[in-house]
Amino acid sequence: MDGTCNCLEDNCNFMGLRPVMVDLPYPAIRAKGRNQAYANLLSVDYCGQVSELSALTQYVNQENRLSLEKCAMAKAILGIAMAEMVHLQKLGQLITLLGGTVDYVAKLQNGKRMMWTPEYLSLPDCIGKMISVSIEGEKAAINQYRMHIKMMDDPYVNAVLARIIKDEEYHIMILQALRNEAPR
């Protein structure tokens, strides 16, 4: 052996990495009362095709593929993934509080139930395309949250969703900066 090490420790240290989030507190996790319809809407945000679980999984995959060669980019992506994990946790708490179950099944308005699947993910090889897919995912999540806010008459739940939107908008800003650095 030549004594060289192609080790992650040598290339990219994730110690001390924090979630990439807006520096604002989250509202308390509260609800006006139990509401299965609202819990079902949030289940789509939790584990539907456009969801925190999909975003988290996609970002972790991207970080894994980038960490050996693009450490700074991998750290930013993992920080965003950590924020998505916080969102997933907050949504899970809200779903439970509203009387729903956290079971990786999105309960759609038409009564259909869809179990989360990795088929929801888009995993392009090109770094620029990876980031573009992530930006589009963040935009879709924001649109979905805004639609769900309009459908729910619960100021406590809506306040949490509005706070999550702030993080998603921040992620778009970070991702756009990363896309500008990505090789074409």
Side-chain angles (χ1 to χ4, degrees), residues 47-175:
C47 63
Q49 184 165 0
V50 174
S51 69
E52 297 299 337
L53 184 59
S54 293
L56 167 62
T57 306
Q58 188 157 303
Y59 285 129
V60 169
N61 178 275
Q62 290 173 357
E63 175 275 318
N64 288 164
R65 294 190 290 150
L66 293 171
S67 61
L68 284 175
E69 297 189 17
K70 301 274 184 207
C71 182
M73 191 174 285
K75 284 182 178 182
I77 295 291
L78 187 58
I80 293 172
M82 293 167 72
E84 304 298 356
M85 187 169 59
V86 170
H87 300 164
L88 188 71
Q89 188 264 343
K90 302 271 184 217
L91 291 171
Q93 288 180 324
L94 286 171
I95 292 167
T96 302
L97 190 61
L98 289 163
T101 56
V102 179
D103 55 8
Y104 301 108
V105 175
K107 289 91 176 169
L108 307 178
Q109 287 183 295
N110 62 6
K112 193 172 182 183
R113 299 167 55 90
M114 302 287 295
M115 178 165 270
W116 186 86
T117 173
E119 291 177 5
Y120 291 159
L121 306 179
S122 178
L123 305 172
D125 290 328
C126 168
I127 294 171
K129 181 70 174 159
M130 251 187 237
I131 294 170
S132 291
V133 162
S134 295
I135 290 169
E136 292 310 309
E138 295 286 353
K139 288 178 180 178
I142 290 167
N143 289 337
Q144 184 169 285
Y145 280 127
R146 287 182 176 147
M147 181 178 65
H148 288 172
I149 287 170
K150 289 178 183 174
M151 297 169 75
M152 292 188 285
D153 182 26
D154 188 320
Y156 305 116
V157 174
N158 287 343
V160 175
L161 298 184
R163 174 58 186 82
I164 290 173
I165 288 171
K166 290 183 186 315
D167 285 339
E168 307 298 19
E169 291 170 337
Y170 185 55
H171 295 165
I172 290 171
M173 185 182 78
I174 300 296
L175 290 165

